[in-house]
Amino acid sequence: MTLHLSPIKITLVDRHVPLASMPVPAGFPSPAADDLEDTIDPIKWVVRHEHATFWWRVSGDSLEAEGILDGDLIAVDRAGKRRHSRIVVAVVDGAITVKKLAKRDGVWFLDPRARADAYATIPVTETTEIWGVVAGVVRRLPIE
């Protein structure tokens, strides 16, 4: 089975939201700041190449050790640099997968980064297409 991917037009709408003046510590608590530094458009912060970026929903947990979980949305940049240790979307034997690109002893692989050993490393061959690089992850958390 051959998979053909074609681009779709995406229009970004500016949505600026307040950004706090200090980062929130994920370690020890720090006194809260009551002033705002600036505004930020979270989507534009993730998307660097608007016309080369596509959004995909993740299915599966093969990248949970990288913080990418089942159901997350990923922004995939076709113009991103394909380098060792980047998370990429690849087409392997007509199937799409998202994995960590790795090079060991001069050979390229697509590595799963699951906490369990349920997934196999995939060797990159001449028929493997590195479709794009993951530029960001969006996850919606419960608030009720």
Side-chain angles (χ1 to χ4, degrees):
M1 176 180 144
T2 304
L3 178 69
H4 296 285
L5 302 172
S6 55
I8 59 171
K9 182 158 178 63
I10 297 175
T11 304
L12 295 181
V13 177
D14 287 343
R15 295 184 191 269
H16 295 273
V17 296
L19 178 66
S21 63
M22 61 187 292
V24 62
F28 294 103
S30 163
D34 48 358
D35 58 311
L36 299 177
E37 176 182 288
D38 205 349
T39 62
I40 183 173
D41 183 328
I43 299 301
K44 284 190 176 181
W45 186 70
V46 169
V47 175
R48 273 79 114 205
H49 305 105
E50 178 180 348
H51 299 291
T53 300
F54 299 82
W55 290 87
W56 297 68
R57 184 174 303 278
V58 174
S59 174
D61 59 357
S62 72
L63 288 171
E64 65 182 351
E66 293 292 328
I68 299 174
L69 306 178
D70 184 57
D72 285 352
L73 296 177
I74 54 173
V76 181
D77 190 333
R78 296 214 12 110
K81 304 285 187 221
R82 288 115 170 109
R83 294 187 178 146
H84 171 71
S85 295
R86 297 260 167 101
I87 306 297
V88 299
V89 168
V91 181
V92 180
D93 297 328
I96 298 173
T97 189
V98 59
K99 299 286 184 277
K100 188 169 189 171
L101 187 60
K103 188 174 187 180
R104 293 186 291 278
D105 299 323
V107 180
W108 289 96
F109 297 93
L110 298 170
D111 283 339
R113 299 286 294 126
R115 292 193 174 102
D117 293 334
Y119 302 94
T121 294
I122 302 167
V124 174
T125 67
E126 60 277 351
T127 62
T128 304
E129 177 190 355
I130 306 299
W131 196 83
V133 178
V134 174
V137 180
V138 177
R139 176 176 308 126
R140 190 171 182 170
L141 301 174
I143 58 170
E144 280 102 28

